[in-house]
Amino acid sequence: MTARTKKPQPTPKRTRFSILSKGLRRKRGEMNSVEAQYAALLNANENVATWWFEPFSLTLSHPTEGQPARYTPDFLVLMTDGTTYVDDVKASKGFDDKASIVRIKTAAELYPLWIFRTVYKLPKKNGGGWERHEV
């Protein structure tokens, strides 16, 4: 009997954001611990009517060749007064990478119906909590 060897996997195709973005580290639809904490905060807030996690992916560009640039927000939050927020949750304030900043700002310009925010988890040594910044 001969030993089976695994077929080598192809190298992932590089995109225009490959250098800037750290890439997806978990499966789509699965929250990391910071996102789960933010979801708990949304559930406890009586002013939040409902929320969705990674509800859709927005197209940011239509290049003639290659894949379009896309942005998938972490949360879509509908408030009881009808205001809709698109929240991108970050583990800490210094956690931004250049690609995510560009994507959020571009999405805010292209889709003015919603209010785009970056939400940062504050360290416990600074009192904890959350800080929100509208884009």
Side-chain angles (χ1 to χ4, degrees):
M1 214 172 185
T2 60
R4 287 185 165 171
T5 58
K6 285 189 175 184
K7 194 175 186 178
Q9 296 296 320
T11 306
K13 187 176 179 181
R14 293 179 65 98
T15 65
R16 73 183 96 173
F17 290 112
S18 295
I19 296 169
L20 299 174
S21 181
K22 296 180 184 186
L24 191 63
R25 296 183 182 195
R26 59 181 167 68
K27 292 180 183 177
R28 263 209 209 283
E30 292 181 5
M31 291 185 200
N32 63 33
S33 62
V34 176
E35 292 164 341
Q37 291 170 24
Y38 189 66
L41 178 77
L42 293 175
N43 286 333
N45 188 338
E46 62 186 34
N47 295 322
V48 173
T50 191
W51 58 268
W52 298 267
F53 177 70
E54 291 184 347
F56 45 70
S57 188
L58 301 171
T59 301
L60 304 180
S61 70
H62 299 281
T64 55
E65 293 182 17
Q67 296 292 319
R70 303 188 69 76
Y71 166 63
T72 303
D74 293 328
F75 292 90
L76 179 69
V77 182
L78 178 63
M79 306 302 284
T80 54
D81 66 0
T83 306
T84 306
Y85 294 105
V86 177
D87 290 345
D88 197 61
V89 178
K90 302 291 182 192
S92 66
K93 204 164 188 175
F95 192 71
D96 283 334
D97 61 72
K98 293 176 185 176
S100 69
I101 294 169
V102 170
R103 286 184 181 126
I104 295 166
K105 287 183 178 182
T106 304
E109 289 177 14
L110 293 174
Y111 301 93
L113 178 64
W114 302 308
I115 300 169
F116 287 79
R117 303 186 298 186
T118 304
V119 181
Y120 300 99
K121 181 167 176 52
L122 298 175
K124 288 183 182 179
K125 67 180 180 182
N126 294 349
W130 300 87
E131 189 175 305
R132 296 173 182 91
H133 295 280
E134 287 187 18
V135 177

